[in-house]
Amino acid sequence: MERDDEASGPMMEEMYTNGGEETSNRRPIISGEPLDIEAYAALYKGRTKIMRLLFIANHCGGNQTIQLEALRMAYDEIKKGENTQLFRDVVSKINGKLGDKYGMDSNWCESVDRRAEQKKVKLENELSSYRTNLIKESIRMGYNDFGDFYYACGLPGDAFKYYVRTRDYCTTAKHIIHMCMNAILVSIEMGQFTHVTSYVSKAEQNPEALEPIVAAKLRCASGLAHLELKKYKLAARKFLEVNPELGNSYNEVIAPQDVATYGGLCALASFDRSELKQKVIDNINFRNFLELVPEVRELINDFYASRYASCLEYLGSLKANLLLDIHLHDHVDSLYDQIRKKALIQYTLPFVSVDLSRMADAFKTSVSGLERELEALITDNQIQARIDSHNKILYARHADQRNATFQKVLQMGNEYDRNVRAMMLRANLLKHEYHARAARKL
């Protein structure tokens, strides 16, 4: 490789480590381990815990051990609640593979449905009484109780309607925040992320200062909404702004480990080098989240330090588990593709020429495969270069800065000369009263 004289020294030192031998102080790669479902499920609570387990069971690629373990845990978790329809669905999926202990419990279903019907009648009577007496706070609580009831029964659409109805009876800023948080929770579960964005905005417009934990929850919800819409840079910014005080307080939606993973991957895919350093690596608050997921922390550091082989190996080891994440699975391929493209661009940027064989070694790929990737980037005008396919060398098309400067100076000189001549002509016309005499002749 030939070095571009105008490239910065420190960056060159980092870049040169990729084409040659591996240095002795390289960190060992943490190999991707199969997902520990029990540890994973322990990070969450409530309905999201069940939905994540069912998602794993449906997307584990035919691994029956993982599938049955996820279904078993979902079965146990559902029986702690009141959603009999979901219980029947899980029993159908288990299909007797876990023995009689995890079969259909008709008595439990009938008992839960009977209690639910009785509770519904009670709530209807209470709400009717509150509305007759026109007590705003009681009516608000009645609608909220109905929302909780439908949410517990697995009817998020009905729960959303009742949560939103409480808005007309909110009398304090805290009531508004409570309504928004309930609407956000249900909207995330239904996948209605436009509603999430709307109610996050309503909550943030609250005239009173938000509590740190509430603000952290809102940023998490906003980050998930941006992630779903594939606005990765906005998602990264929201996750990076989450206060570490969040802790496990929002694990009915997201775990702190998810904040690190979602925020880290979105930042790698969308931030430039300076942003990555300033907003991620030097971000003290986000560092607390990264400590929970060492693999993500190390791959970010490797990417910034231009240790691309190590970075891509970390990504490869994480991919199988990320594909089992209910929010991230649709974005893994897109994020990985963007991260790899940024790595290729960053690698070639400082050099006048690059040996494709050495670059292929750095990225753990074949020369022909690397050529195809570089051709696509050159075609998209993301890399200013040309490929010598015979000698397997990439030549950068760096602009001649010296010549460009001279051309700019000459252009500015010509413009200055033209402007001065125009000013002198105008001054002489005024001096000799040319316009006045021409007017008299007319």
Side-chain angles (χ1 to χ4, degrees):
M1 296 183 188
E2 295 178 11
R3 180 175 172 180
D4 186 347
D5 291 336
E6 296 179 6
S8 60
M11 190 172 181
M12 286 299 95
E13 292 176 6
E14 295 171 354
M15 290 294 185
Y16 271 114
T17 63
N18 290 280
E21 297 296 323
E22 293 190 0
T23 54
S24 58
N25 60 349
R26 287 285 293 278
R27 289 181 294 278
I29 298 296
I30 300 175
S31 59
E33 298 178 356
L35 183 64
D36 184 341
I37 299 179
E38 188 171 349
Y40 177 78
L43 299 174
Y44 308 97
K45 70 177 182 181
R47 188 168 170 83
T48 192
K49 179 176 182 178
I50 298 168
M51 301 315 293
R52 285 175 180 267
L53 287 168
L54 294 180
F55 184 86
I56 291 171
N58 292 333
H59 294 80
C60 61
N63 187 325
Q64 195 172 39
T65 303
I66 292 178
Q67 182 184 41
L68 292 178
E69 178 66 10
L71 289 172
R72 181 188 66 78
M73 294 184 68
Y75 181 100
D76 290 336
E77 193 67 25
I78 291 169
K79 290 202 75 174
K80 298 176 184 177
E82 301 170 15
N83 192 341
T84 55
Q85 183 56 50
L86 190 59
F87 176 77
R88 293 184 179 96
D89 292 342
V90 169
V91 170
S92 175
K93 289 180 180 178
I94 292 174
N95 196 25
K97 296 175 185 175
L98 292 172
D100 295 338
K101 184 179 178 182
Y102 291 92
M104 174 55 70
D105 189 342
S106 300
N107 292 333
W108 180 83
C109 289
E110 291 173 4
S111 173
V112 170
D113 287 340
R114 186 167 55 254
R115 287 199 306 270
E117 189 62 33
Q118 292 170 354
K119 186 174 182 180
K120 183 180 178 182
V121 172
K122 179 185 175 184
L123 290 173
E124 286 175 343
N125 292 334
E126 288 178 350
L127 182 58
S128 177
S129 173
Y130 297 150
R131 294 176 69 176
T132 301
N133 296 328
L134 298 177
I135 304 172
K136 291 187 72 172
E137 175 60 13
S138 297
I139 295 172
R140 185 190 71 83
M141 293 179 65
Y143 278 128
N144 201 65
D145 289 342
F146 249 119
D148 293 341
F149 168 76
Y150 280 119
Y151 183 73
C153 292
L155 299 169
D158 292 328
F160 180 79
K161 292 176 185 176
Y162 278 94
Y163 284 140
V164 171
R165 285 178 187 173
T166 64
R167 184 178 183 181
D168 294 334
Y169 303 94
C170 292
T171 56
T172 67
K174 285 187 176 181
H175 292 167
I176 295 289
I177 294 294
H178 188 252
M179 181 273 296
C180 289
M181 296 306 296
N182 284 334
I184 289 168
L185 173 65
V186 177
S187 297
I188 290 174
E189 183 173 324
M190 293 191 297
Q192 299 291 333
F193 288 95
T194 52
H195 288 162
V196 174
T197 303
S198 174
Y199 283 97
V200 167
S201 179
K202 282 183 174 70
E204 289 177 339
Q205 290 169 4
N206 184 39
E208 295 183 9
L210 295 173
E211 296 178 5
I213 292 180
V214 173
K217 290 180 178 181
L218 291 174
R219 291 191 180 105
C220 287
S222 183
L224 286 175
H226 289 309
L227 176 64
E228 184 66 24
L229 297 172
K230 298 189 176 180
K231 297 178 179 179
Y232 299 132
K233 192 161 192 174
L234 293 175
R237 287 175 179 169
K238 290 298 180 182
F239 288 123
L240 292 171
E241 292 172 359
V242 175
N243 193 302
E245 290 180 3
L246 176 75
N248 294 316
S249 64
Y250 206 32
N251 58 1
E252 66 268 26
V253 173
I254 192 171
Q257 287 84 347
D258 296 329
V259 174
T261 303
Y262 300 170
L265 292 179
C266 288
L268 278 179
S270 58
F271 284 3
D272 60 30
R273 187 176 176 80
S274 61
E275 285 180 308
L276 194 64
K277 172 69 172 172
Q278 179 186 352
K279 297 180 180 179
V280 182
I281 296 174
D282 292 341
N283 185 334
I284 296 175
N285 286 338
F286 193 65
R287 197 179 300 166
N288 292 321
F289 290 105
L290 287 176
E291 291 299 323
L292 300 173
V293 192
E295 295 90 342
V296 175
R297 180 194 64 206
E298 293 304 323
L299 75 86
I300 291 173
N301 289 330
D302 283 341
F303 185 93
Y304 182 76
S306 306
R307 293 187 289 265
Y308 300 116
S310 173
C311 173
L312 295 174
E313 197 163 349
Y314 272 117
L315 285 171
S317 69
L318 289 171
K319 188 171 184 178
N321 289 347
L322 294 179
L323 288 170
L324 296 177
D325 185 281
I326 196 169
H327 293 298
L328 201 62
H329 71 285
D330 280 339
H331 308 280
V332 172
D333 290 336
S334 178
L335 288 169
Y336 273 42
D337 183 56
Q338 291 186 40
I339 292 169
R340 185 174 179 85
K341 284 180 178 178
K342 284 174 69 70
L344 291 168
I345 294 168
Q346 187 169 293
Y347 186 99
T348 61
L349 189 63
F351 299 117
V352 173
S353 63
V354 179
D355 185 331
L356 295 186
S357 298
R358 296 178 69 184
M359 187 174 177
D361 290 339
F363 282 87
K364 301 295 184 184
T365 186
S366 65
V367 174
S368 59
L370 179 63
E371 273 192 75
R372 287 193 294 273
E373 291 184 86
L374 292 173
E375 285 169 6
L377 291 172
I378 292 170
T379 303
D380 291 341
N381 207 30
Q382 295 187 57
I383 293 179
Q384 304 296 324
R386 57 188 175 84
I387 299 173
D388 181 346
S389 295
H390 179 70
N391 295 312
K392 303 301 179 186
I393 295 175
L394 178 78
Y395 291 102
R397 292 176 179 169
H398 290 299
D400 188 338
Q401 296 293 336
R402 185 176 181 183
N403 182 56
T405 303
F406 276 125
Q407 292 297 329
K408 188 174 181 180
V409 169
L410 287 172
Q411 182 183 353
M412 292 177 66
N414 291 333
E415 291 176 359
Y416 180 78
D417 179 68
R418 185 169 60 253
N419 291 337
V420 169
R421 288 178 182 275
M423 291 172 63
M424 291 176 66
L425 175 60
R426 182 176 300 173
N428 281 326
L429 290 172
L430 294 172
K431 178 179 178 181
H432 295 286
E433 299 180 349
Y434 179 80
H435 292 292
R437 287 195 299 178
R440 282 196 295 269
K441 286 178 181 179
L442 293 172

